[in-house]
Amino acid sequence: MALREEFPQNGEVYMDGTSDGVRYELTFGGASQAHSYEMIRAFLAEQGYENIPLPESLEDLRRFRHPVNPKGQILLFEENGYCHNPVKVLFPLDRRKKRVLHLVIYNENAPNHLLRFHGKIGED
């Protein structure tokens, strides 16, 4: 099954990622962050999301990363990475995890999909 065609139900594990029926989450940890990003790009293409615009390279993706302020703090309540409906490619909050990227895919058929994607309503 392709994820875009048959979104996993609440509690269902699909390819080591978890779903609540609205959001599917999977963490990629390759030999390097560039490898993790290529794995995400391949995964999205395999799962029916090949038409979603993504940054061309890891260097381009890094431009979407939030900078750390001078006190070394990061924003805790904003997502740190690239977002294009229905996909988010996020950097880990722990900057020591230099090889890891987190993928979140939203169910386009869920009620209030756009509001959920943009964080305007909770998961009800």
Side-chain angles (χ1 to χ4, degrees):
M1 104 174 150
L3 192 72
R4 199 168 200 179
E5 296 167 9
E6 291 184 51
F7 204 86
Q9 299 300 310
N10 186 13
E12 189 175 340
V13 175
Y14 176 73
M15 297 188 75
D16 293 327
T18 58
S19 174
D20 63 5
V22 175
R23 292 167 37 122
Y24 172 81
E25 299 186 45
L26 181 60
T27 299
F28 290 81
S32 66
Q33 202 169 57
H35 186 249
S36 297
Y37 185 52
E38 288 308 312
M39 290 188 320
I40 285 175
R41 292 175 63 92
F43 179 82
L44 290 170
E46 291 169 5
Q47 298 303 318
Y49 296 96
E50 62 276 348
N51 63 340
I52 302 296
L54 294 170
E56 290 294 320
S57 65
L58 178 63
E59 291 74 31
D60 289 346
L61 177 65
R62 286 182 174 155
R63 293 175 186 230
F64 291 91
R65 186 177 205 163
H66 292 306
V68 175
N69 73 18
K71 295 180 182 176
Q73 298 171 330
I74 58 173
L75 300 171
L76 293 178
F77 301 106
E78 290 188 32
E79 292 170 315
N80 188 11
Y82 176 79
C83 301
H84 191 286
N85 185 39
V87 170
K88 295 181 180 184
V89 179
L90 306 174
F91 292 94
L93 292 178
D94 184 346
R95 288 186 175 255
R96 294 174 292 181
K97 296 181 179 179
K98 297 186 183 300
R99 299 179 301 139
V100 172
L101 291 171
H102 189 67
L103 175 65
V104 181
I105 302 174
Y106 282 74
N107 184 350
E108 296 166 285
N109 297 316
N112 299 312
H113 160 71
L114 282 175
L115 293 172
R116 290 178 195 277
F117 179 82
H118 291 288
K120 301 303 178 189
I121 61 171
E123 300 304 321
D124 296 339

